[in-house]
Amino acid sequence: MKRNEMIEALHKNHKDYDFIVVGGGATGIGIALEASARGYTVALFEQSDFTKSTSSKSTKLVHGGVRYLAQGDVALVREACIERGLLRKNAPHLVKNQSFIIPTAGLWDEIQYTIGLILYDLMAGSLSLGRSTRISKKKALKRISTFNPVKLTAGVVYHDGQFDDSRLAINSLQTAVEHGAVVLNYTTVTGLTKDQDGNLNGVEVRDEETLDTFKVSGKNIINATGVFADDILQMDKPGSRKTVVPSQGVHLMLDRSFLPGNDAIMIPKTDDGRVLFAVPWHGKIVVGTTDTPLKEASLEPKALDKEIDFILNTAGRYLVKAPKRSDVLSVFAGLRPLAAPKKEGSKTKEISRSHKIFVSESGLLTIIGGKWTTYRKMGEDLVDRAEKEKKWKHIGTKTRYLKIHGYKKDIDLNDPLYFYGTDKDGVMSIAASDEALSQPLSRKLDVLKAQVVWSIRNEMVCNIEDFLARRIRAQLLDARESLKIAPEVARIMAREMGKTEEWQKDQIKSYQKTTENYILN
């Protein structure tokens, strides 16, 4: 997945692409994967880095959605439970079975959650990740030694999936490229082109790396830009009604000592009505989330103090050692692209997470809503709709059992390079070819210098943030540590990419400015 080769392929192709996908987050990637797997020609454009805005800031769960079941959205939960199981089978190097413990406060809680979660298991059918069961207070405290014993009478164990969102994005894009797709980051769609009848027939694009502009022709133009969907709709038809409500979700990263076992915690009732998760991830603990309505979307949303305090205070009630601001290794915020409700004043936690597809008069296909767990199904539904709109012969989905790039079973989760799957051999080959690259970049985060070079050659990294934030997740895992290694990452990248010392200085300065928002003072 080399950027210069993608650009070259784009300019060599003088035919219409079957699908032009605008947006390189979970939704757009799912569409590019499905369309290319069916044999269609695909070009995907992302204005920043892949998953920059929202899709890299999830709770790191592939889940059916326990709370949606409580809201009665059975169809959504059933669909997500099935997709969770398929993803576990298709990308076992990135998706793992994660056990959760719900603390109960009395007999009614025990009955309610046990029955509800058994129903949750049944929805997945043969793709279930494990059976839900009640455990005693003694067993719950043995499994989660840091849990406040005053806060539970027993526990209910259930299973869901846990994953690395940006790594799944990169591997899914690589899979799409292997099926012929052209995918590009740092390419902004600045305009839409139409024929004399007003039907869309292409896009105008600006390469943010070179500032070159060009036009690309296509039969289906897909608006998969998440929280920025309305920007494309306005481009298509000025004055279009608002379709998306951004909702901010904040997460905190804590040291593993706050939750030292293998189990995650799910608190089903919090002050704002949402659930709270504490989940082991890459040797740390992710705690979140919030649900804060915002008026405007941005590529780098900032966590509000009230959101941070809410997470710390809620976690503090349930843990023996209450986390403080000084314990937070990183804080990150992401925006959910929720479908705008028809009724004013609806709370964001009440807005359906199911995806919606609609077609404008010009033929623009827009998809909003959804979540990472169902990204494959979103792609399938969108391509099905496009075939129907164009009256093309229907081609059945090709992704239901499609192995994602890097596919490897029986991985060792204690191996710091496990998430590369079969690509680990390539990383180690680079390390073996140059002794300097075999050295640790960060002992604290178990990162090798060879990983920088691998990401440039194979994962379309353009700057140090791409690498530190979304290829190895250092920015989220420990923001301060990521700042310490940023100069060395810039040096290695400059050597590999032929960049100047001035470029290195600019990169470090830019990364420091962005990462300040991930650190609590």
Side-chain angles (χ1 to χ4, degrees):
M1 196 167 74
K2 303 178 190 299
R3 196 171 188 279
N4 59 340
E5 291 180 6
M6 296 284 117
I7 292 283
E8 193 176 327
L10 200 65
H11 291 315
K12 278 185 177 179
N13 180 45
H14 300 295
K15 297 179 182 178
D16 291 352
Y17 281 92
D18 295 321
F19 287 84
I20 294 177
V21 182
V22 187
T27 307
I29 292 168
I31 295 164
L33 182 63
E34 179 67 47
S36 60
R38 292 192 198 187
Y40 291 118
T41 54
V42 177
L44 178 147
F45 301 107
E46 163 56 43
Q47 66 173 329
S48 185
D49 187 28
F50 305 119
T51 74
K52 158 75 173 180
S53 176
T54 296
S55 297
S56 61
K57 311 284 183 63
S58 73
T59 313
K60 319 308 176 192
L61 297 180
V62 178
H63 59 141
V66 173
R67 73 186 180 91
Y68 307 139
L69 185 59
Q71 294 172 1
D73 201 340
V74 175
L76 174 63
V77 176
R78 165 72 175 158
E79 177 182 81
C81 282
I82 291 171
E83 290 301 313
R84 176 193 67 185
L86 292 174
L87 197 46
R88 168 76 177 134
K89 287 180 176 292
N90 294 337
H93 62 299
L94 292 174
V95 181
K96 77 181 189 76
N97 187 336
Q98 177 64 60
S99 57
F100 287 77
I101 295 179
I102 297 179
T104 59
L107 182 61
W108 173 242
D109 269 5
E110 294 174 34
I111 295 171
Q112 176 183 237
Y113 296 138
T114 302
I115 293 174
L117 288 165
I118 288 173
L119 177 61
Y120 186 61
D121 298 339
L122 292 173
M123 286 189 172
S126 62
L127 293 171
S128 172
L129 298 183
R131 183 180 175 186
S132 297
T133 183
R134 175 198 176 277
I135 59 173
S136 67
K137 178 176 181 177
K138 184 179 179 180
K139 285 185 177 179
L141 291 173
K142 186 176 181 180
R143 289 176 68 161
I144 301 182
S145 60
T146 53
F147 212 92
N148 184 350
V150 177
K151 284 291 183 180
L152 80 163
T153 57
V156 178
V157 179
Y158 77 98
H159 295 259
D160 249 329
Q162 189 253 24
F163 80 132
D164 187 317
D165 42 23
S166 284
R167 292 305 311 176
L168 178 60
I170 292 300
N171 284 169
S172 295
L173 285 164
Q174 289 170 318
T175 310
V177 168
E178 287 160 5
H179 284 82
V182 171
V183 302
L184 282 164
N185 53 7
Y186 297 100
T187 44
T188 302
V189 170
T190 57
L192 305 174
T193 61
K194 300 179 180 180
D195 63 21
Q196 58 186 13
D197 297 320
N199 298 313
L200 284 177
N201 61 8
V203 295
E204 296 170 346
V205 181
R206 180 176 64 241
D207 183 344
E208 300 298 346
E209 291 292 292
T210 63
L211 299 183
D212 291 340
T213 59
F214 49 90
K215 293 182 179 180
V216 182
S217 300
K219 298 167 186 173
N220 289 288
I221 314 301
I222 313 301
N223 178 11
T225 52
V227 291
F228 301 103
D230 288 328
D231 294 345
I232 303 297
L233 286 168
Q234 290 296 327
M235 202 180 285
D236 176 45
K237 184 181 179 181
S240 296
R241 78 171 184 86
K242 191 173 183 180
T243 63
V244 173
V245 173
S247 169
Q248 178 160 287
V250 168
H251 297 83
L252 308 181
M253 197 69 67
L254 299 175
D255 185 76
R256 190 64 187 269
S257 61
F258 284 93
L259 195 64
N262 295 319
D263 298 297
I265 297 174
M266 195 270 264
I267 308 299
K269 294 177 183 176
T270 63
D271 293 344
D272 80 339
R274 286 186 61 82
V275 300
L276 186 82
F277 292 101
V279 187
W281 189 65
H282 290 317
K284 310 294 182 188
I285 302 297
V286 183
V287 187
T289 181
T290 57
D291 203 340
T292 307
L294 296 182
K295 291 183 179 179
E296 293 186 6
S298 67
L299 282 171
E300 273 292 345
K302 297 178 182 179
L304 304 176
D305 281 337
K306 66 177 183 179
E307 294 176 300
I308 295 164
D309 292 341
F310 165 76
I311 294 173
L312 288 174
N313 292 338
T314 305
R317 292 178 203 163
Y318 291 90
L319 298 174
V320 174
K321 180 187 175 185
K324 304 184 295 293
R325 290 177 71 94
S326 58
D327 294 315
V328 176
L329 299 172
S330 183
V331 54
F332 57 96
L335 302 182
R336 305 178 191 89
L338 305 184
K342 294 179 181 178
K343 184 174 68 175
E344 287 293 323
S346 296
K347 294 181 179 179
T348 54
K349 65 175 179 289
E350 296 169 355
I351 300 172
S352 175
R353 263 54 172 180
S354 59
H355 57 276
K356 296 172 178 62
I357 299 168
F358 53 91
V359 187
S360 73
E361 292 177 7
S362 67
L364 177 68
L365 279 152
T366 297
I367 180 167
I368 57 175
K371 57 181 183 174
W372 253 120
T373 305
T374 55
Y375 91 116
R376 188 210 67 83
K377 187 66 168 65
M378 292 162 72
E380 178 186 337
D381 290 351
L382 189 286
V383 177
D384 283 351
R385 179 67 179 270
E387 289 176 337
K388 186 177 179 181
E389 291 291 327
K390 294 295 184 185
K391 295 181 172 57
W392 291 349
K393 180 182 177 181
H394 174 59
I395 301 172
T397 180
K398 303 297 182 184
T399 58
R400 191 174 175 88
Y401 304 109
L402 179 65
K403 293 178 180 177
I404 298 300
H405 180 96
Y407 175 96
K408 185 179 181 182
K409 296 175 71 174
D410 303 320
I411 56 167
D412 177 8
L413 293 174
N414 293 315
D415 180 351
L417 302 181
Y418 80 85
F419 55 83
Y420 286 105
T422 54
D423 278 347
K424 178 189 172 182
D425 292 342
V427 177
M428 297 312 295
S429 178
I430 291 173
S433 68
D434 186 335
E435 187 178 349
L437 295 176
S438 70
Q439 301 304 309
L441 178 63
S442 168
R443 294 186 187 278
K444 198 172 183 181
L445 295 176
D446 283 322
V447 181
L448 296 176
K449 292 181 180 180
Q451 289 172 256
V452 183
V453 175
W454 170 266
S455 70
I456 296 167
R457 295 178 184 175
N458 300 282
E459 297 178 351
M460 211 176 284
V461 161
C462 296
N463 55 57
I464 68 173
E465 186 196 317
D466 294 348
F467 176 73
L468 289 167
R470 289 170 294 278
R471 301 306 186 274
I472 64 165
R473 318 319 307 272
Q475 187 184 60
L476 301 193
L477 291 168
D478 191 330
R480 288 183 178 85
E481 177 67 8
S482 78
L483 286 173
K484 288 179 184 177
I485 63 177
E488 181 62 8
V489 172
R491 188 192 67 78
I492 296 170
M493 287 188 71
R495 189 182 71 171
E496 177 71 17
M497 298 166 67
K499 301 290 186 179
T500 63
E501 281 192 25
E502 193 63 33
W503 179 88
Q504 292 181 56
K505 292 176 183 177
D506 289 343
Q507 283 290 301
I508 295 166
K509 185 178 179 181
S510 175
Y511 185 70
Q512 287 172 338
K513 184 177 180 180
T514 299
T515 308
E516 283 174 2
N517 295 325
Y518 292 72
I519 296 172
L520 295 185
N521 296 314

